[in-house]
Amino acid sequence: MSTFDSFKSLSRALFLGFRRDRGALFFTVLFPLLFLVIFGGVFGKQTTGKVDVVEVGAVPVLDRALQHDPSGELGRTVKVKHDDLAGALKKVQKGDADAAVEQSGGRLVVHYSGADRVKSGVVQSVVQQVANAANVAESGRPPTYTVASQRVEDKSIKGINFFTPSLLGWALASAGMFGASQTLVLWRTKGLLRRLRLAPVPIPTVFGARVVVSLGIALGQLAVFLLVAQLPFFGLKLQHAWWMSIPLVVCGVLTFLSLGMVVGAWAKTQETAQTVTQLIVLPMAFLGGSFFPLDYAPKWMQAVSYVFPLRYLNEGMLNVMARGQGPMSALPQMGILLGIAVVAAAVAARLFRWDAT
Amino acid sequence: MKNTISVRGLRKRYGDVQAVDGVSFEVPEGEFFGILGPNGAGKTTTLEIVEGLREADEGRVELLGLEPWPRNAKLLPRIGVQLQATSFFERLTAREQLRTFGSLYGVSARKADEMLETVGLAEKADVRVEMLSGGQAQRLSIACALVHDPELVFLDEPTAALDPQARRNLWDVLRAINTGGRTIVLTTHYMDEAELLCDRVAIMDRGRILKLGPPAALVRGLDAPTRISVASGVLAAEDARGLAGVDEVSDDGVSLVVETRDPSSVVAALSAKDALDGVQIRGATLEDVFLDLTGREYRA
Ligand SMILES: Nc1ncnc2c1ncn2[C@@H]1O[C@H](COP(=O)(O)OP(=O)(O)OP(=O)(O)O)[C@@H](O)[C@H]1O
Ligand SMILES: [Mg+2]
């Protein structure tokens, strides 16, 4: 009798059990995808959109700049509308426009809203640049100092590039932890564990099969996420070392399964396991940077985030998928994840019980 | 002959319940052994200690010359266990379930499918385990215990949820296995079943074995009267009382019941009076032994 055959047929049985579980399918595959579609669709476009500027009356400086725009850069950034002052301010207040610009003689006034700092910042700097250029032209002399701006790797990733890896991290954490804790409690309370104890299969083989099934499911989640996010509508562009997300996902899944096992080994009932898992996963997703970039978070939140394994998975995947870092950059995160996995697995093994009573 | 099971001085306590209180017995190879007893007598606990699922507080168990506790991987392929509560992998069909269990023992899919046929579940092969009826699930659980053709089989109330046909079918299956030289231990609440199948039975109550022996010997040892009943009215109660060998007579208006320890002369006398209309003769059964030992009153 071969342990490997047992392993294969157990894996098959467990996978069939998962595939036929509509609830699990929804929560592990469709639900996170729904988040990706919503978050990616709503916030993903933010940085690529133009800024809407309302000219109050005539603003010749801006108009002239738009007419003499050899690189077309300004035209790509700014979209101009016209209105009177009251109407323009109302548009800005309601968020229909990003700023209103008035010109009276040599004075330019920019009215902006604080609601969207990014766009109001863009408007202010654009108007400043336009004014500078006009000053230079007025003086009739070539500018003494010119600025050549060069874009560097953006540390604060926005939009779909952020949401694809981080929502995937949340989906993996949630699927792994719920899967492991629920399975373990269910098998114990339903008596399957004690029945398996009487079968001549090493118990690590049984759990190994469960882990392999979870890994397969997780890689499926990764594939679906990457495929959807790369659709033109979302426009994810993967960086060269994106494939390192595969070993990262494997390490992450091992970590979350081990943590789930700890909960499952400790909890007596399915309700307890479910509640406790939720109490871990949800804060972890928020504070681990799955729903918003940690770069924008307050200092204390950034400090707290280091407690959560999800942070390392998210960070590692962001680095290789979106920030364009090399394959080696993921190694520290993988190491930390595996370390947590080993410790959690040891704790779970200590807490493990075959029997409900 | 070598003993397949040897149990000495087993004790197990749960809180303040002494579930098993000094149980000893031996089961030789090839025997069909039954454990009887009221609810809570300690049958399941005894069985689970013997199987190696629970640790005894005291006592020794040997199965096939090996100790079942702690988990003994050498022993496991040689024993088959059906637990009192059925438990399966979720969302598998009956066939997938049995094949998966079979594979844990290195049993081929074909042999697993044959076992499904043996317990009469071939028609339900593609039904998910959650959708099986109680009795069908019970049969699948028994199939899981037998699929690898174990030398020693433990069945905890295997026929509890079965209909009369399935019960008889299972009896045939078990008898065939036993005839093939396998040792079987089962618990049951059906005395007719124990009497029919078991070479020896142990009657348990409150964690102890009260009596142990072949059913027929236990019944004989009871020295209970035979009850002969005829239709009421064919004979007056006073006349019946006058017959030789009669101990007790009662008439409830439907049947006249005569208790005797000399049934042949009483039947002859009734026959001479032409009073055998609707006659039924009932000797003592294992049930009488059981009730005599464990008491007739209902315990909550
Ligand atoms: N896990 C447990 N924890 C605490 N008490 C238990 C446990 N299992 C059994 N008991 C108690 O031990 C006693 C014996 O139980 P056991 O299950 O062995 O009885 P049984 O003879 O199999 O009964 P039944 O015919 O109802 O199956 C009962 O009083 C029961 O309440
Ligand atoms: Mg029982």
Side-chain angles (χ1 to χ4, degrees), chain A residues 98-113:
Chain A
D98 299 302
V101 182
E102 287 182 274
Q103 182 179 3
S104 54
R107 202 174 127 82
L108 279 169
V109 183
V110 181
H111 304 270
Y112 64 90
S113 144

Side-chain angles (χ1 to χ4, degrees), chain B residues 44 84 156-157:
Chain B
T44 298
Q84 187 162 6
D156 199 351
E157 297 190 26

Side-chain angles (χ1 to χ4, degrees), chain B residues 9-279:
Chain B
L10 227 49
R11 268 177 230 282
K12 177 81 184 175
R13 171 179 278 281
Y14 293 117
D16 32 324
V17 180
Q18 188 69 46
V20 180
D21 191 8
V23 164
S24 303
F25 61 89
E26 248 123 47
V27 179
E29 193 181 328
E31 186 170 70
F32 205 131
F33 187 79
I35 302 179
L36 310 179
N39 293 139
K43 304 180 295 293
T44 298
T45 308
T46 304
L47 221 52
E48 289 187 351
I49 294 172
V50 173
E51 293 154 1
L53 267 184
R54 293 187 187 277
E55 188 177 16
D57 297 339
E58 259 179 69
R60 271 183 64 85
V61 181
E62 257 186 33
L63 297 187
L64 304 157
L66 300 167
E67 288 192 17
W69 184 274
R71 193 170 185 252
N72 190 336
K74 279 207 204 59
L75 188 58
L76 297 175
R78 301 172 66 187
I79 66 175
V81 176
Q82 175 248 325
L83 298 171
Q84 187 162 6
T86 58
S87 53
F88 301 118
F89 288 106
E90 309 104 81
R91 290 176 290 279
L92 294 192
T93 65
R95 183 192 288 124
E96 291 161 350
Q97 182 69 37
L98 192 53
R99 283 185 179 182
T100 304
F101 258 97
S103 78
L104 303 183
Y105 293 88
V107 169
S108 68
R110 196 180 45 79
K111 268 196 72 186
D113 293 352
E114 278 172 25
M115 183 49 72
L116 210 57
E117 194 105 26
T118 305
V119 295
L121 280 181
E123 258 175 58
K124 296 286 170 187
D126 293 316
V127 174
R128 301 240 187 122
V129 290
E130 290 86 356
M131 302 298 159
L132 293 176
S133 76
Q136 290 161 350
Q138 180 99 340
R139 285 193 253 168
L140 182 58
S141 172
I142 294 165
C144 289
L146 301 178
V147 69
H148 57 296
D149 194 16
E151 290 164 57
L152 172 56
V153 183
F154 294 96
L155 303 165
D156 199 351
E157 297 190 26
T159 55
L162 301 192
D163 62 40
Q165 289 84 353
R167 215 144 77 87
R168 274 163 185 75
N169 170 63
L170 182 66
W171 290 350
D172 292 339
V173 172
L174 294 181
R175 260 194 296 241
I177 291 173
N178 184 235
T179 309
R182 307 311 194 196
T183 310
I184 302 179
V185 178
L186 101 172
T187 72
T188 179
H189 290 291
Y190 297 110
M191 298 302 142
D192 55 335
E193 180 170 295
E195 212 163 349
L196 202 73
L197 292 175
C198 296
D199 299 317
R200 285 192 310 150
V201 296
I203 297 179
M204 266 190 97
D205 197 10
R206 301 177 205 274
R208 294 164 190 269
I209 292 183
L210 303 177
K211 269 244 157 55
L212 197 162
L218 297 185
V219 172
R220 240 179 284 121
L222 189 61
D223 188 30
T226 301
R227 296 151 68 84
I228 301 167
S229 68
V230 293
S232 206
V234 297
L235 190 69
E238 296 82 70
D239 296 342
R241 226 166 254 131
L243 298 175
V246 168
D247 298 341
E248 203 77 54
V249 176
S250 61
D251 191 339
D252 61 3
V254 179
S255 307
L256 173 85
V257 179
V258 175
E259 291 188 4
T260 174
R261 276 160 224 276
D262 184 6
S264 31
S265 34
V266 172
V267 171
L270 286 173
S271 166
K273 288 189 183 293
D274 197 19
L276 282 178
D277 273 7
V279 69

